[in-house]
Amino acid sequence: MTDTITIRRPDDWHVHLRDGAMLQAVAGYTARQFGRAIIMPNLTPPVTTVAAAQAYRDRIMAALPAGADFTPLMVCYLTDGIDPAEIERGFTSGVFTACKLYPAHATTNSAHGVTDIMKLTGVLDTMQRIGMPLLIHGEVTDGDVDIFDREAVFIERTLAPLVRDYPALKIVLEHITTAEAVDFVEGSGPNIAATITPQHMIINRNAILVGGIRPHNYCLPIAKREKHRLAVRKAGVSGSPKFFLGTDSAPHEIGRKENACGCAGIFNAPYAIETYAQVFDEEGALDRFEGFASLNGPAFYGLPVNEGTITLTRSDNPVPATLGEGETCVVPYFAGETLRWTLAD
Ligand code: DOR
Ligand code: ZN
């Protein structure tokens, strides 16, 4: 049995670091494990300009613990009226790594998102031409579509036509949760990839609803039935270069989760790499862990892999019930349980 695994330093291709006190509280968790991370732009107000992204990047750097070796990769939040020239300027100057498409009202802080993808024609032409990746929250928001069907319907109604109309556009379907998403990505060309969260490899919807409502397992896209979890998990450990690590760690203060209208988001950043390692170990796929965590993402984005390595050991790793105090008190994923892998310092 393998008891120690050393891999190239991984990256997190989808994380919410927030701002202000929460940013100060959580940035160190991500920087401890990952060399780089794609930073979600759904702040209030959202990050829609080069200047806003530069300022946010500076705040992230200032929030890191001393000596941290971490590069935030900034993302432009797409709105109906966004200027393609601003996006191109941000990309060619190295400030923006990608753009994020939130369908309006799909999730937390998406009110300024896109109401109709037809409004993005100029933006998508530009992104395809310059090779800038489009990161997609793939859910429709129509009131008549069941929340458990929203990803599959998005793929059929929006993503398939998008891929047809922009055949060279680089697209990451973020935090996939369904067999339909796995099938779509596997059946598409090399310019279509997906990120996978730890929770969507581990929980199905029973973990939210059986035995009482468990708000800390609620995120969007919501976890689906078991057959979908199995499909996503299989894709993640398959070794396919189309699938890579994106935690979607999304901290909310405990009172905003344990609430009559609780926020969507699972805070998995503190033990993310250990959680993924446990999944790959359970699947007998530790030999494919490095590809998923450290190699496939850079290859897709056209970036070098990180220098340096991390080492994980097989040893019990108890997860605390809460982390932080007051307005930054958050419940981590796996709270009160014990993970089987530990990241060496
Ligand atoms: O669960 C989620 N939380 N999904 C998202 O898409 C957004 C995120 C957040 O920002 O809290
Ligand atoms: Zn997210």
Side-chain angles (χ1 to χ4, degrees):
M1 191 159 55
T2 313
D3 287 327
T4 299
I5 171 166
T6 296
I7 60 170
R8 281 280 187 156
R9 191 131 190 256
D11 302 297
D12 184 350
W13 298 98
H14 182 131
V15 68
H16 300 265
L17 291 186
R18 312 300 194 205
D19 212 342
M22 191 63 91
L23 170 62
Q24 301 294 325
V26 305
Y29 295 120
T30 293
R32 185 176 76 92
Q33 301 163 62
F34 299 106
R36 295 164 292 199
I38 284 277
I39 310 298
M40 284 297 124
N42 63 332
L43 305 181
T44 3
V47 179
T48 56
T49 63
V50 179
Q54 281 173 314
Y56 185 31
R57 185 170 65 184
D58 290 347
R59 297 198 296 281
I60 293 168
M61 296 310 290
L64 296 177
D69 177 14
F70 175 74
T71 304
L73 302 174
M74 309 311 291
V75 175
C76 180
Y77 179 115
L78 296 178
T79 61
D80 282 351
I82 197 137
D83 178 10
E86 179 77 358
I87 289 170
E88 182 164 5
R89 189 168 72 83
F91 185 66
T92 53
S93 64
V95 178
F96 289 146
T97 297
C99 289
K100 176 72 188 258
L101 167 60
Y102 285 105
H105 306 293
T107 186
T108 308
N109 291 344
S110 62
H112 299 278
V114 175
T115 59
D116 179 356
I117 195 142
M118 298 310 284
K119 309 235 185 208
L120 292 181
T121 311
V123 170
L124 297 174
D125 283 335
T126 298
M127 292 177 67
Q128 178 169 248
R129 175 170 52 77
I130 64 180
M132 184 178 193
L134 175 68
L135 317 182
I136 299 183
H137 184 109
E139 290 192 283
V140 296
T141 56
D142 311 53
D144 61 342
V145 179
D146 188 277
I147 190 167
F148 293 101
D149 297 333
R150 288 180 172 201
E151 184 175 279
V153 172
F154 181 90
I155 290 166
E156 188 185 310
R157 284 189 195 164
T158 307
L159 185 57
L162 180 69
V163 171
R164 185 192 61 219
D165 294 346
Y166 296 89
L169 183 62
K170 280 182 157 185
I171 295 175
V172 184
L173 187 56
E174 301 281 20
H175 41 54
I176 58 168
T177 63
T178 57
E180 286 87 345
V182 170
D183 290 347
F184 184 85
V185 172
E186 283 180 342
S188 302
N191 55 318
I192 312 298
T195 53
I196 299 181
T197 73
Q199 60 266 20
H200 292 119
M201 293 172 120
I202 295 173
I203 62 169
N204 63 31
R205 61 193 196 176
N206 283 8
I208 309 166
L209 297 169
V210 170
I213 291 179
R214 297 173 196 277
H216 300 292
N217 285 338
Y218 171 59
C219 67
L220 289 171
I222 197 164
K224 311 292 193 297
R225 319 179 154 263
E226 178 66 356
K227 71 169 184 184
H228 295 292
R229 180 187 76 92
L230 292 174
V232 169
R233 186 168 165 114
K234 188 170 162 214
V237 304
S238 69
S240 163
K242 286 173 155 289
F243 300 103
F244 42 85
L245 187 160
T247 63
D248 198 16
S249 180
H252 292 279
E253 180 270 322
I254 186 169
R256 292 167 55 88
K257 294 287 295 174
E258 299 178 5
N259 188 297
C261 185
C263 293
I266 293 180
F267 178 53
N268 59 32
Y271 301 91
I273 201 68
E274 290 100 329
T275 310
Y276 283 114
Q278 182 162 312
V279 170
F280 277 74
D281 186 21
E282 287 167 2
E283 295 299 320
L286 283 175
D287 58 326
R288 299 195 280 271
F289 185 43
E290 184 177 45
F292 177 81
S294 314
L295 308 179
N296 299 349
F300 182 84
Y301 277 85
L303 294 170
V305 298
N306 289 316
E307 295 296 325
T309 59
I310 61 160
T311 296
L312 295 125
T313 57
R314 186 189 301 280
S315 56
D316 285 357
N317 192 354
V319 177
T322 60
L323 290 163
E325 303 286 335
E327 63 177 329
T328 66
C329 181
V330 280
V331 174
Y333 188 45
F334 268 90
E337 296 181 54
T338 299
L339 290 161
R340 301 295 162 210
W341 287 83
T342 304
L343 177 63
D345 285 331

